[in-house]
Amino acid sequence: MHDAPPVLIAGGGIGGLALALALARLGHPSHVLERHGAPTTAGAGIQLGPNAVQALRWLGVADALEPSVGLPAAIEVRAGASGRHLAKLPLGPWVAARHGAPYWVAHRGDLHGALAAAASRDPRIAIDHATDVTEVTETAGRVSVRDTAGRTFTAPILIGADGLWSTVRQSVQPGSVPRPAGATAMRTVIPAEAGGGLRTGAVGVWLSPVAHVVHYPVRAGRELAVVVIARSDSTPQDRATPRSIWDAEASLPRLQATLAPFHALLRNVLLPDLATANSMARVERASANGAPGVPRWPWREWTLHTLPPLRTWRRGRMALIGDAAHPMLPYLAQGGALALEDAVVMGHCLHATDDPAAALARFESLRTQRAARVQSASRRQGGIYHLPPPLSWARDAVLGAAPGTRLMAGYDWLYGWRLP
C-alpha cells in the first residue's frame, strides 16, 4: 500500500466515506464512486453506540458531529398497548464510563454530512458523484469498473461499500440476492415541539406482537426520529399484496393499522386526527392548507431484507464491507456501527502490508465472526420484541425484575469493541 495508486471504493455512504477517511489518516489515497448526484441531508435517525463513537473519534469526525447529536440518558422500554414502563436501561454517563465513549443518537443526514465534509477537505480523497457502477472486471494486478455513463475506472484494489444492493458483490459471489425479511420499517423525523409525551430525552421502545416503535431525540434535541417496524403480515393489506418496497412514500392505511393497537400517548403524537386521510400526499396537501391535527412530516417506508451468508467477502483484489457484506436487521441498531468498524479495520489491514490479497484475507478473518454474531443477536432481539402472549408476559416480567444495569451489561460484547 505504501506509495500505491488510490484504492477504488464503490459507494459513498457511511462505510465508503469512513473507509476513505481511514485510509487518508494512514497516509493512503482513495477514489470514491458514489451513485447519487450530490451529497444528501435526507434520512431519518441512526443510533451510534459506543463502538460507533470510538470509530468516529479515530476517524476525526466525532468533534464535528457532536454538536448535532442527541445524548439519551436511558433506553425506556414500554408495553405498546398499555404504555406501561417495563424497563429502564442506563446510557448517559454510565455507558460512557463503562465503554470509554458515549451513546449518541443522530440524524443520518448529519452523520453523512460530517463524513462527507471531512472527506472533501482531504486532498488524498477523490469523490465522483453520479457514478453508478454497473460492471466489474479483474485482470492481472488490476480491477476495472464501468459506470452507467460508460466511463471506466481502474485501480489495484476495489472495495465494495455499495450497500444491500451491491454491484461489487455480484463479482465476489455471483447470484447472492437479498431476500425480504418479513418486516417493514416506516420512518419519519418530527419537530420536538410536536413530540408531546415522547419528548423524554431517552430512547423510547414500545413493544407489541405485530410491531414495535422506537423514538429518540436528534439534531441536539430539536427533532425526534421515529421508526415503526412491523411484521409484513401484520395488516390485511400486507397479506393481500405482499411486495418489496424501497424508500417509498409510506402507506398511510398500513401505518394507521400498525399503530392502532398502541397506546394513545404514542398514536396521538405520530398520527393525530388522520381518520379521513388515505395517502401521505393527501396529508401533505391538507397540511399546506392549514388543516388542524394533520402532521407536517413525511413518512418513508422500506421492506427489511436479509442476505444469505456469503461464502467469502473477497475475491482476488476485491472485497466487501458494511451492508454489501453483512446487512443487519435494525433490532440492535448496529448497521451503521458495523460499517464504521469495518472501515477502520479495513484501513489498518491495507496499511499493514503491500500484498492486497493478504490484507483482504486478514480483514475477512478479523470481521466475519463479529458480524455474524451481531446479525444473529439482532434477529434474536427482533423475535423478543415481537413475542405474542403468553411469552410476552414472561418477557415483560423479566424486564421488570432485572436491574437495568444488568440488562445493559449483557451488551458489553457489542459496545465494548476496541480499535485495532
Side-chain angles (χ1 to χ4, degrees):
M1 281 292 297
H2 303 289
D3 299 319
V7 172
L8 200 58
I9 302 171
I14 292 171
L17 290 176
L19 175 56
L21 289 168
L23 289 168
R25 171 165 179 171
L26 295 166
H28 305 293
S30 62
H31 188 178
V32 179
L33 307 179
E34 166 55 33
R35 65 169 59 96
H36 294 295
T40 177
T41 59
I46 184 169
Q47 298 185 58
L48 299 167
N51 53 321
V53 178
Q54 293 273 20
L56 290 170
R57 284 177 171 173
W58 186 85
L59 292 169
V61 176
D63 287 347
L65 180 62
E66 186 170 11
S68 65
V69 304
L71 291 167
I75 299 172
E76 297 179 349
V77 185
R78 296 190 182 200
S82 67
R84 179 169 59 95
H85 286 268
L86 300 175
K88 187 172 184 177
L89 286 65
L91 295 175
W94 185 91
V95 80
R98 192 173 186 89
H99 297 300
Y103 193 109
W104 287 352
V105 286
H107 192 287
R108 189 175 291 267
D110 290 341
L111 172 60
H112 189 270
L115 293 166
S120 69
R121 293 191 297 267
D122 198 304
R124 290 160 295 196
I125 301 173
I127 304 176
D128 277 343
H129 292 283
T131 306
D132 192 357
V133 173
T134 59
E135 181 182 341
V136 179
T137 57
E138 183 176 5
T139 57
R142 308 292 287 176
V143 184
S144 296
V145 303
R146 183 181 295 271
D147 74 350
T148 51
R151 295 173 295 181
T152 299
F153 304 86
T154 302
I157 299 171
L158 170 65
I159 306 300
D162 47 346
L164 178 67
W165 307 102
S166 171
T167 298
V168 178
R169 186 173 60 235
Q170 293 307 308
S171 295
V172 173
Q173 187 168 315
S176 179
V177 179
R179 301 172 181 173
T184 299
M186 292 170 276
R187 297 183 174 96
T188 193
V189 178
I190 69 176
E193 59 267 23
L198 307 187
R199 196 176 177 182
T200 65
V203 176
V205 181
W206 301 63
L207 307 180
S208 85
V210 298
H212 76 278
V213 180
V214 180
H215 57 81
Y216 45 84
V218 297
R219 292 192 161 155
R222 297 189 304 275
E223 297 178 349
L224 289 175
V226 184
V227 59
V228 178
I229 299 180
R231 293 204 327 253
S232 293
D233 62 351
S234 61
T235 68
Q237 181 187 39
D238 292 326
R239 291 191 290 271
T241 58
R243 64 197 188 282
S244 184
I245 301 165
W246 193 253
D247 191 15
E249 181 184 276
S251 161
L252 189 58
R254 184 185 355 269
L255 186 58
Q256 288 176 295
T258 300
L259 292 176
F262 284 84
H263 190 269
L265 175 64
L266 187 71
R267 292 198 321 272
N268 291 344
V269 171
L270 301 186
L271 291 177
D273 191 21
L274 291 182
T276 61
N278 57 17
S279 76
M280 291 313 297
R282 185 170 175 178
V283 169
E284 291 170 358
R285 288 197 298 272
S287 297
N289 293 330
V294 176
R296 299 175 183 271
W297 48 88
W299 287 81
R300 305 296 293 177
E301 185 171 359
W302 290 260
T303 300
L304 301 183
H305 290 77
T306 59
L307 184 73
L310 302 179
R311 293 188 302 275
T312 180
W313 295 357
R314 60 190 173 89
R315 178 181 175 185
R317 292 171 173 264
M318 297 177 284
L320 307 171
I321 66 171
D323 281 354
H326 50 74
M328 297 282 163
L329 291 172
Y331 305 112
L332 282 178
Q334 282 290 305
L338 266 287
L340 291 168
E341 289 183 16
D342 280 355
V344 171
V345 175
M346 177 65 84
H348 280 83
C349 289
L350 291 174
H351 177 68
T353 177
D354 291 327
D355 182 348
L360 301 183
R362 176 63 174 160
F363 169 79
E364 186 175 47
S365 72
L366 290 172
R367 296 300 295 167
T368 50
Q369 186 174 359
R370 164 80 168 169
R373 185 178 184 185
V374 179
Q375 286 177 313
S376 176
S378 186
R379 289 192 298 269
R380 185 167 60 251
Q381 186 96 329
I384 292 170
Y385 279 177
H386 298 160
L387 284 172
L391 295 175
S392 61
W393 304 337
R395 174 202 64 202
D396 295 352
V398 170
L399 288 172
T405 52
R406 182 183 301 172
L407 293 171
M408 280 302 293
Y411 297 102
D412 282 351
W413 66 272
L414 179 63
Y415 298 133
W417 176 81
R418 292 293 181 266
L419 303 174

